[in-house]
Amino acid sequence: MNIKNNKKIKLKLIKNFTNNYTWILYKKNNCVIVDPGEYKKILHIIKLYKLYPKLILLTHYHYDHMMAVNSLLSIWPKIKIISPKNIYYINKKEQINFFYILKEKIFGKSIKIINTPGHALYHVCYYISNYLFCGDLLFNSGCGKIYNNLYYEMYKSIQKIKSLPQNTLICCGHDYIKYNLIFTMKIIPNDKFVKNFYKKIKKSNKETINSLKIEKKINLFLKTSNFYLRKQLSKKEILKPFECFCLLRKMRNVF
Ligand SMILES: [Zn+2]
């Protein structure tokens, strides 16, 4: 799948393993690789498009998001790598609260880093132009699993994403959109927008990249401050947004 968002910067999505997404952002012959999973598939695209990898961005340290790093480095030893821990290293004196902007630019655009623990303690998102590479923080109509009980961290991380521009394109690390929408319809069965969206997606075999504006309509984890949702999910008192978030994530775990 190729996405032309900017006249010169293009995005290529590579499906790897069963449902992982590796992203290649490129301009002319230079490229950035986000979360490189399956080496052979990535190499195939790099050669096909005659690209030269300048930079690897890692959202977190799960093997399926970084398995191709060593193989890529063995061919292009000068590739720079930006990953959560070396961001902490650069910035160790102050915690990254919202945007940490790297001095380094790519294709003339700044690389903004958002600290987003939750799925993993060391997890960041990268915002370049209006692309958000969000790893396993947010998925289409869903969010990543939470390990080590980092519920509050995950909740806070998702709140940060909500304040990005509406036209932000959500480039996630996996895709479970159909199943996530079925879950969403179970929770909010009367939502016509979600129903229609599911109908459209069900027929299509294409990968989906949604804007933040659309995700806010179809993603329950971005709706946890919604009064009706909080009321509907509670047996007694109306849930607080964070309680609503935890409950939804636990329900999704066993769905
Ligand atoms: Zn992960």
Side-chain angles (χ1 to χ4, degrees):
M1 185 188 199
N2 288 310
I3 302 109
K4 285 182 193 170
N5 165 49
N6 181 301
K7 274 182 189 163
K8 290 168 188 162
I9 301 176
K10 293 173 188 166
L11 185 69
K12 172 83 186 159
L13 161 57
I14 303 172
K15 274 184 146 184
N16 38 149
F17 304 118
T18 42
N19 54 31
N20 268 75
Y21 282 179
T22 291
W23 301 91
I24 296 191
L25 196 63
Y26 63 102
K27 185 177 177 182
K28 291 183 182 164
N29 295 102
N30 290 324
C31 74
V32 178
I33 307 169
V34 185
D35 285 352
E38 232 175 308
Y39 172 63
K40 279 186 183 169
K41 287 191 181 171
I42 296 165
L43 190 65
H44 171 74
I45 295 298
I46 288 176
K47 289 197 167 165
L48 190 68
Y49 288 74
K50 298 185 173 67
L51 298 175
Y52 180 82
K54 299 283 259 188
L55 184 66
I56 290 174
L57 301 175
L58 300 178
T59 59
H60 62 298
Y61 298 106
H62 289 163
Y63 78 95
D64 54 327
H65 293 254
M66 54 186 291
M67 225 161 115
V69 170
N70 286 341
S71 307
L72 289 165
L73 280 177
S74 69
I75 304 185
W76 295 280
K78 285 185 180 169
I79 306 180
K80 278 192 180 174
I81 300 179
I82 299 174
S83 65
K85 272 190 187 164
N86 58 35
I87 293 157
Y88 277 80
Y89 176 74
I90 295 167
N91 205 28
K92 62 184 172 188
K93 284 184 188 158
E94 43 178 311
Q95 280 289 313
I96 319 159
N97 285 322
F98 192 66
F99 272 167
Y100 172 68
I101 301 173
L102 279 185
K103 282 179 192 153
E104 190 164 333
K105 286 193 168 191
I106 189 79
F107 314 136
K109 305 276 181 191
S110 61
I111 303 173
K112 295 171 185 168
I113 297 169
I114 310 165
N115 187 29
T116 51
H119 171 72
L121 184 59
Y122 293 107
H123 188 293
V124 295
C125 297
Y126 299 93
Y127 182 81
I128 304 172
S129 196
N130 64 331
Y131 296 112
L132 179 76
F133 299 102
C134 59
D136 290 355
L137 175 73
L138 269 186
F139 297 147
N140 293 321
S141 190
C143 76
K145 276 194 175 161
I146 297 168
Y147 296 105
N148 301 313
N149 216 24
L150 296 168
Y151 278 84
Y152 191 65
E153 287 79 357
M154 187 75 159
Y155 170 73
K156 290 301 256 183
S157 296
I158 289 175
Q159 303 315 302
K160 291 179 189 175
I161 303 305
K162 277 167 83 172
S163 60
L164 290 173
Q166 296 296 301
N167 69 346
T168 300
L169 293 169
I170 308 292
C171 304
C172 44
H174 298 263
D175 191 24
Y176 308 101
I177 189 162
K178 287 178 189 168
Y179 207 60
N180 280 342
L181 283 167
I182 293 170
F183 175 70
T184 307
M185 288 188 295
K186 189 194 161 199
I187 304 293
I188 45 173
N190 299 323
D191 190 304
K192 280 186 186 154
F193 188 89
V194 175
K195 266 188 197 169
N196 289 332
F197 197 87
Y198 178 69
K199 271 186 202 161
K200 207 170 72 184
I201 291 290
K202 206 179 155 188
K203 288 182 203 154
S204 152
N205 281 323
K206 281 186 186 165
E207 294 84 10
T208 315
I209 300 181
N210 292 326
S211 65
L212 181 59
K213 191 179 174 183
I214 294 290
E215 277 301 309
K216 281 185 176 175
K217 293 183 182 179
I218 63 167
N219 195 325
L220 291 169
F221 299 95
L222 293 171
K223 285 174 176 283
T224 51
S225 49
N226 181 289
F227 177 80
Y228 297 101
L229 182 62
R230 290 189 284 135
K231 193 177 170 196
Q232 179 199 330
L233 287 174
S234 100
K235 289 189 181 91
K236 295 174 194 163
E237 284 170 31
I238 296 163
L239 297 175
K240 292 189 174 112
F242 175 56
E243 292 168 339
C244 177
F245 173 79
C246 294
L247 181 62
L248 284 169
R249 185 58 258 184
K250 283 170 187 169
M251 287 168 84
R252 180 64 182 83
N253 287 348
V254 292
F255 181 67

